[in-house]
């Protein structure tokens, strides 16, 4: 993830991703922070945290790593200490984004399936604790990445580039750390999201049948049910975010399993199918940092209204000024 490939596709894709990802996440943070989207404060806090972490992924993983690596390969970002710090930040921001998605999924699971725990857990204060805890632990967990690399060249006593130490593949501590890191992201999040969504779906199906049967017995089948309507909105938001995460990470996981099973750590060139699979996995992984804003716009009517107002208001002021 820290060795960008050259080529027209990559040179166009990553700047386009940054051009969309940065304003999209900034707009999402601003709109959600205003609290006018009809979402609870708990959900809003999670979504703002996810948008902020996604913004960090765009800055570190797309701009500082991919774009700088492609267009400015010999810049000061390639000095070994700076390069190592950059890679640490890439992995930390990625883990924060992933685990906040898991935390949001768990929060919605509690809100829907655990009514007794809902009032105690699904609060803004709890969301704040979870978001900051995930952020701090993700940063601490990824500190060892800084010590994974050594200088490839030393020019005028200045170490350049990040070259993986040979001990990384043989030393027991590095093997344990690498295995733990791989389990922590993305396999455990994958398992938890699938498990929580599966249990949530089962609970919703059972309770919806019970409510419809009860309402039918009371001959209220033609009247609206606000509980079912609110539950439907939460489910749409939950499953679109979770599905997006799973689909956009799938290619990365397939490549990871392949090179770990086959011990393939080098490629014949940019035309190597395994190398292409790796790069496609990274491209989709980084794309996931821009997808949440599109999900908000597609699933939340009030968010679309706020987005529309944020776009039309400045234009209206410009027109008003020109008329004046």
């Amino acid at each position: 993830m820290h060795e960008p490939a050259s080529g027209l596709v990559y040179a166009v894709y990553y700047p386009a991703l940054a051009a969309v990802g940065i304003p999209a996440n900034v707009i999402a943070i601003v709109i959600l922070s205003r609290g006018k989207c009809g979402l609870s404060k708990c959900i809003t806090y999670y979504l703002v945290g996810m948008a902020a972490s996604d913004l960090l992924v765009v800055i570190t993983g797309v701009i500082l790593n991919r774009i700088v690596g492609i267009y400015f390969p010999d810049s000061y970002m390639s000095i070994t200490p700076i390069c190592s710090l950059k890679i640490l930040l890439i992995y930390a921001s990625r883990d924060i984004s992933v685990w906040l998605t898991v935390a949001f999924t768990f929060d919605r699971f509690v809100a829907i399936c655990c009514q007794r725990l809902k009032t105690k857990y699904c609060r803004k204060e709890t969301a704040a604790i979870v978001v900051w805890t995930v952020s701090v632990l993700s940063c601490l967990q990824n500190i060892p990445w800084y010590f994974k690399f050594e200088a490839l060249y030393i020019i005028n006593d200045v170490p350049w580039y990040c070259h993986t130490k040979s001990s990384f593949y043989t030393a027991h501590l590095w093997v344990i750390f690498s295995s733990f890191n791989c389990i922590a992201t993305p396999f455990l999040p994958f398992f938890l999201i699938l498990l929580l969504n599966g249990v949530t779906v089962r609970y919703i199906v059972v309770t919806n049948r019970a409510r419809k049967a009860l309402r039918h017995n009371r001959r209220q089948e033609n009247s609206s049910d606000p509980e079912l309507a609110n539950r439907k909105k939460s489910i749409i938001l939950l499953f679109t975010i979770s599905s997006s995460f799973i689909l956009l990470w799938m290619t990365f996981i397939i490549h990871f399993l392949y090179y770990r099973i086959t011990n393939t750590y080098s490629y014949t060139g940019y035309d190597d199918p395994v190398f292409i699979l790796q790069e496609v996995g990274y491209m989709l992984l980084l794309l996931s940092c821009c997808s949440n804003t599109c999900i908000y716009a597609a699933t939340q009517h009030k968010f679309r209204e706020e987005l529309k107002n944020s776009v039309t208001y400045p234009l209206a002021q410009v027109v008003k000024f020109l008329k004046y």
Side-chain angles (χ1 to χ4, degrees):
M1 191 170 184
H2 49 273
E3 298 176 355
S6 60
L8 180 61
V9 174
Y10 310 114
V12 173
Y13 176 81
Y14 291 113
L17 185 60
V20 174
I22 289 181
N25 284 294
V26 170
I27 290 173
I29 292 172
V30 172
I31 293 177
L32 291 168
S33 298
R34 295 174 64 185
K36 297 182 179 180
C37 295
L39 301 172
S40 68
K41 293 182 179 180
C42 176
I43 295 178
T44 300
Y45 206 99
Y46 278 114
L47 296 182
V48 170
M50 291 164 64
S53 64
D54 289 347
L55 179 62
L56 289 178
V57 173
V58 177
I59 294 173
T60 58
V62 178
I63 297 178
L64 297 182
N65 182 40
R66 294 285 162 163
I67 295 178
V68 171
I70 292 173
Y71 288 96
F72 310 101
D74 298 322
S75 67
Y76 287 104
M77 295 298 296
S78 298
I79 296 177
T80 303
I82 299 177
C83 176
S84 300
L85 179 61
K86 175 187 67 177
I87 294 168
L88 187 160
L89 295 176
I90 291 172
Y91 282 108
S93 59
R94 180 203 67 176
D95 287 1
I96 294 172
S97 178
V98 170
W99 279 100
L100 285 185
T101 303
V102 177
F104 174 75
T105 305
F106 180 76
D107 178 85
R108 292 301 85 200
F109 162 77
V110 173
I112 295 171
C113 303
C114 307
Q115 297 300 315
R116 293 184 180 179
L117 184 60
K118 176 182 176 180
T119 55
K120 295 182 179 180
Y121 184 83
C122 300
R123 301 182 302 165
K124 179 182 177 181
E125 295 77 12
T126 304
I129 293 173
V130 172
V131 169
W132 285 107
T133 301
V134 168
S135 301
V136 172
L137 291 179
S138 295
C139 292
L140 293 177
Q141 174 194 333
N142 288 283
I143 288 177
W145 287 118
Y146 182 86
F147 304 99
K148 173 189 173 183
F149 304 99
E150 60 185 2
L152 185 61
Y153 304 109
I154 297 180
I155 303 174
N156 297 327
D157 295 328
V158 178
W160 286 86
Y161 304 107
C162 286
H163 179 68
T164 301
K165 297 177 181 178
S166 58
S167 60
F168 177 77
Y169 301 105
T170 56
H172 294 297
L173 289 178
W174 277 120
V175 172
I176 293 173
F177 169 75
S178 179
S179 300
F180 170 79
N181 187 76
C182 296
I183 294 172
T185 306
F187 288 100
L188 185 56
F190 248 71
F191 171 77
L192 291 176
I193 288 176
L194 290 174
L195 176 63
L196 293 172
N197 284 346
V199 175
T200 303
V201 168
R202 182 178 180 278
Y203 178 86
I204 290 173
V205 170
V206 173
T207 54
N208 282 358
R209 287 177 180 175
R211 288 183 68 87
K212 289 180 180 180
L214 180 62
R215 292 173 63 82
H216 179 74
N217 292 335
R218 294 178 178 179
R219 298 182 179 180
Q220 295 178 345
E221 62 272 17
N222 293 327
S223 61
S224 61
D225 188 342
E227 177 67 21
L228 291 178
N230 292 333
R231 189 177 295 170
K232 181 179 179 181
K233 291 180 181 179
S234 297
I235 288 302
I236 291 175
L237 180 61
L238 170 63
F239 284 114
T240 47
I241 290 177
S242 300
S243 300
S244 171
F245 171 80
I246 291 173
L247 291 175
L248 293 176
W249 275 79
M250 186 62 68
T251 305
F252 175 85
I253 289 182
I254 292 173
H255 171 262
F256 172 82
L257 292 174
Y258 175 83
Y259 88 77
R260 281 293 180 180
I261 294 173
T262 62
N263 293 324
T264 304
Y265 301 107
S266 60
Y267 310 101
T268 58
Y270 292 153
D271 296 331
D272 191 325
V274 180
F275 177 81
I276 294 174
L277 178 66
Q278 169 188 282
E279 290 303 311
V280 171
Y282 290 150
M283 293 167 74
L284 294 177
L285 184 156
L286 293 171
L287 176 62
S288 67
C289 69
C290 302
S291 62
N292 284 338
T293 302
C294 298
I295 291 172
Y296 306 150
T299 60
Q300 302 297 311
H301 173 71
K302 291 187 177 181
F303 183 90
R304 294 197 300 271
E305 290 295 324
E306 288 295 315
L307 179 60
K308 180 181 178 181
N309 293 336
S310 65
V311 174
T312 57
Y313 179 78
L315 295 178
Q317 295 302 310
V318 171
V319 172
K320 182 178 179 180
F321 173 78
L322 293 176
K323 286 183 178 180
Y324 176 78

